[in-house]
Amino acid sequence: MATSLKKGMLYVMIANLINLGFNLITNFVLPKELSVENYAMIKTFQLYISYAGLFHFGFVDGMYLKYGGKSVNNIKKDDLNTNLSTLRIFQILVTFICTIVSICLKNPLFICFSLAVMPINLGNYFKQLYQATGEFGLYGKIMNANTILIFIANMMWIFIFRVDSGIYFLVSNVVVYFLIWIVLEINCRRMFKDTRYKIFTFSVKEFINNIRDGILLTVGNLSSVLLTSMDRWFVKALLDTMAFAQYSFAVSMENFMNVAVTPVTITLYNFFCREKNVDRIKKIRNQVMIFAAVIVSSAFPARFILETYLRKYLNSSRVMFLLFASQLFYIIIKSIYVNLYKAQGKQRTYFIKLTLVIVMGFLFNIVCFKIYPVKESFAIGTLLSAIFWYFICFPDFKWLDYKIRELIYPFVQVIAFLVCGFMFNAIIGILLYIVCTVVSSLILLPEETKGMVTMVKDKVSSFR
């Protein structure tokens, strides 16, 4: 049974908090215990993995759009069974071809990536299915299992076997991806208990329809990945291994913040598929802006850890604050605008706008690096790209018109955030930023601020 918006966010938030705990340890232990070269190898693999979705050619996203807003119980099991079986055969073939090519190239990193394509895409199929149908409890279980198993494997390599070789970590990641996929297949088989479970049934119709419906969304999603990872590609190509490792560390810190953001971005798609009240959507948009302003403050504790625990990565601090500042816009874009594009069937418009953003992002990175050839320049390029994307969404949703105070709010927060992050240490910086956030929210978004405070008080009272 599909869950409500609040319950859905709660389920995903709990899953993300569990993920946060394990990832927090992993992402501080790895750079601390491993050499810069091996840490950079692991981060390169993770960068490649973010593009694994390209190899289902839109099939998974076609399913996502097909079942969005529906309940699992209302989906024809035979139809879903055929859909899944078609993807399974397709991904086995794709993985086989990629692996053969990688073996011929004799590149261990590419071989690990090729082997991971199938289990990752089939695992994402189930995650997307549960997200689209509002089964956020199952979605959270998949996230937790993946994170916990990779955490256990990483800690075993470091503290039991005392390994300082990136390839061991990559292989264990691939093994975990396969284990998660196998468990999901077994669980899915129970769902089809009243019908014949199709293992190797291929439907040309399902294959064509899913790819046709989902290809633009896939390209759009991967273009979004390209946009947010473009800076790392530039750093890897133009700077040394140390710079890439430090930049990747800053990105890892940014990913911690995304743990808290995911419940919003994940659950709002299902919500927007059903919600048509413009005033309510506007209110949620403004609340997301406040949420973004609050959540980026997690950069200050991360900096405190750098100052006291990981001083060899302290030079990533400015990059980290610039990347976090870009999230003040990306959170609004991904939570509100991207979900509205999907829910209203505007995939083509979404793709066109995102392509334009990528082109501008490429130019921003080049120009910034030409002006000042250091790693921080690419983070500035990322921030400029986020601002550009934020503005070009406006014409597609004119009915979500901004008041002046709503329009300037994220820019006030960016200035306050960067000033506090660049000019003060972690403790003083976070105290000043919290004061600035509270004051600006009460002045510029008073109704939403009071509403969120009331909601928190009600939740606290209910726990009592």
Side-chain angles (χ1 to χ4, degrees):
M1 181 177 179
T3 54
S4 66
L5 178 63
K6 290 182 179 179
K7 286 185 177 180
M9 285 189 179
L10 179 61
Y11 287 147
V12 181
M13 177 64 80
I14 292 173
N16 279 3
L17 288 174
I18 294 172
N19 271 262
L20 177 61
F22 287 103
N23 281 327
L24 189 64
I25 298 172
T26 300
N27 283 280
F28 283 117
V29 170
L30 290 185
K32 178 71 174 180
E33 299 295 332
L34 298 180
S35 64
V36 170
E37 292 75 15
N38 283 302
Y39 178 70
M41 182 181 183
I42 294 172
K43 301 312 291 186
T44 301
F45 175 73
Q46 292 175 352
L47 180 60
Y48 290 170
I49 285 297
S50 63
Y51 292 90
L54 177 64
F55 293 88
H56 63 69
F57 298 107
F59 192 100
V60 174
D61 288 302
M63 176 277 299
Y64 180 75
L65 294 171
K66 180 179 181 179
Y67 298 131
K70 296 181 181 179
S71 168
V72 169
N73 295 328
N74 295 331
I75 297 175
K76 293 181 180 179
K77 296 299 185 292
D78 187 64
D79 179 65
L80 180 59
N81 201 344
T82 301
N83 194 280
L84 173 59
S85 178
T86 300
L87 175 65
R88 188 185 300 115
I89 295 174
F90 175 41
Q91 288 303 289
I92 290 173
L93 178 61
V94 168
T95 296
F96 177 76
I97 294 172
C98 291
T99 303
I100 294 298
V101 173
S102 299
I103 292 173
C104 292
L105 293 174
K106 298 180 180 180
N107 188 316
L109 200 153
F110 285 162
I111 293 173
C112 289
F113 168 75
S114 299
L115 291 172
V117 167
M118 180 181 69
I120 285 177
N121 284 336
L122 284 165
N124 283 338
Y125 181 94
F126 290 103
K127 285 199 291 187
Q128 295 272 50
L129 174 65
Y130 297 145
Q131 178 186 342
T133 56
E135 298 290 336
F136 300 112
L138 293 172
Y139 175 89
K141 288 179 181 178
I142 299 174
M143 289 179 58
N144 288 340
N146 188 75
T147 300
I148 293 171
L149 288 175
I150 289 178
F151 170 81
I152 292 173
N154 288 339
M155 296 305 107
M156 287 177 62
W157 289 130
I158 292 175
F159 296 112
I160 296 179
F161 298 105
R162 300 292 179 179
V163 169
D164 186 15
S165 176
I167 192 65
Y168 288 90
F169 294 85
L170 305 193
V171 170
S172 62
N173 278 16
V174 174
V175 171
V176 168
Y177 298 143
F178 269 97
L179 287 175
I180 297 295
W181 165 54
I182 292 169
V183 171
L184 288 170
E185 288 278 3
I186 294 172
N187 181 69
C188 187
R189 188 164 187 168
R190 296 171 184 165
M191 186 190 305
F192 299 134
K193 60 183 179 181
D194 297 328
T195 60
R196 183 177 66 86
Y197 188 60
K198 301 174 183 178
I199 300 177
F200 295 113
T201 298
F202 188 87
S203 170
V204 176
K205 182 180 179 181
E206 287 289 320
F207 181 75
I208 294 174
N209 288 346
N210 273 39
I211 291 180
R212 181 197 63 203
D213 296 339
I215 187 63
L216 285 179
L217 182 55
T218 296
V219 174
N221 288 339
L222 289 172
S223 297
S224 179
V225 172
L226 175 61
L227 176 64
T228 54
S229 63
M230 186 187 301
D231 48 355
R232 277 175 286 165
W233 287 111
F234 273 110
V235 174
K236 187 169 182 61
L238 299 175
L239 300 175
D240 57 23
T241 301
M242 175 59 83
F244 178 73
Q246 290 178 339
Y247 201 99
S248 296
F249 179 83
V251 173
S252 297
M253 297 301 99
E254 182 187 20
N255 290 337
F256 287 150
M257 180 195 58
N258 289 331
V259 169
V261 174
T262 302
V264 179
T265 57
I266 291 297
T267 54
L268 281 178
Y269 169 69
N270 186 269
F271 172 75
F272 286 145
C273 285
R274 296 176 280 109
E275 182 59 57
K276 306 302 178 185
N277 187 296
V278 175
D279 289 335
R280 192 174 180 193
I281 295 175
K282 287 182 181 179
K283 183 177 180 180
I284 289 176
R285 178 202 63 195
N286 290 352
Q287 289 177 342
V288 167
M289 287 198 292
I290 297 174
F291 172 74
V294 172
I295 206 66
V296 296
S297 64
S298 56
F300 293 97
R303 178 174 175 175
F304 178 78
I305 294 174
L306 285 176
E307 293 171 348
T308 58
Y309 180 70
L310 276 172
R311 295 195 64 83
K312 68 178 178 179
Y313 286 93
L314 187 58
N315 285 337
S316 64
S317 177
R318 286 181 176 268
V319 171
M320 181 176 65
F321 273 91
L322 287 165
L323 293 178
F324 272 64
S326 69
Q327 289 296 326
L328 282 161
F329 299 98
Y330 278 136
I331 292 172
I332 302 168
I333 294 165
K334 294 177 180 178
S335 299
I336 305 299
Y337 295 113
V338 172
N339 278 319
L340 284 174
Y341 279 124
K342 295 176 184 178
Q344 297 182 4
K346 296 181 177 181
Q347 291 93 303
R348 186 176 297 275
T349 303
Y350 168 60
F351 173 68
I352 292 172
K353 291 295 178 70
L354 189 51
T355 302
L356 179 59
V357 175
I358 290 173
V359 172
M360 292 302 299
F362 186 84
L363 295 175
F364 285 142
N365 277 281
I366 291 177
V367 171
C368 290
F369 186 72
K370 285 291 184 181
I371 295 173
Y372 196 40
V374 293
K375 61 182 180 296
E376 287 80 5
S377 298
F378 299 117
I380 294 173
T382 300
L383 175 58
L384 294 176
S385 300
I387 295 172
F388 178 76
W389 192 4
Y390 179 70
F391 276 112
I392 66 170
C393 288
F394 291 178
D396 298 320
F397 304 99
K398 294 180 180 178
W399 46 275
L400 280 177
D401 57 300
Y402 280 87
K403 298 176 183 177
I404 295 298
R405 55 186 174 83
E406 296 170 342
L407 186 63
I408 67 173
Y409 179 78
F411 294 95
V412 171
Q413 290 301 132
V414 165
I415 294 171
F417 179 73
L418 292 178
V419 169
C420 293
F422 284 4
M423 298 184 65
F424 303 96
N425 64 31
I427 297 176
I428 296 175
I430 192 171
L431 293 175
L432 290 175
Y433 179 69
I434 290 172
V435 172
C436 292
T437 300
V438 171
V439 172
S440 61
S441 298
L442 289 172
I443 294 175
L444 299 175
L445 302 174
E447 294 181 5
E448 286 75 12
T449 305
K450 293 176 182 177
M452 293 182 77
V453 171
T454 301
M455 182 178 68
V456 171
K457 287 183 178 179
D458 292 341
K459 289 294 181 182
V460 172
S461 299
S462 65
F463 283 121
R464 290 176 181 173

